[in-house]
Amino acid sequence: MDDPKETARKPARRGFAAMDPERRREIARRGGASVPGEKRSFAQNRDLAANAGRKGGSASRGGGRRPSSS
């Protein structure tokens, strides 16, 4: 009988894992360059970003810090 460790298959490499390392570097180098500056509203308006963060935090159902009950 065959050893089960030898017959187990590795998961298929997909997405970035399957890409050529140079291609991955090229994509990472670009970052958010595809978005025009005027569309980056959070970079332009600090208050807008802060309010969006607050809204997201209040809509979250956990995962945040809670005051200790001491």
Side-chain angles (χ1 to χ4, degrees), residues 7-64:
T7 58
R9 294 186 334 184
K10 291 181 181 179
R13 288 171 36 133
R14 300 184 304 191
F16 278 101
M19 281 186 191
D20 175 41
E22 185 55 38
R23 175 78 173 129
R24 276 186 270 169
R25 278 188 219 102
E26 179 187 334
I27 291 170
R29 233 181 272 126
R30 285 191 231 155
S34 64
V35 180
E38 62 272 4
K39 297 280 185 176
R40 295 184 200 163
S41 55
F42 287 164
Q44 305 291 324
N45 188 339
R46 193 175 171 102
D47 291 331
L48 182 64
N51 288 333
R54 258 185 239 102
K55 182 178 178 183
S58 66
S60 174
R61 296 185 181 244

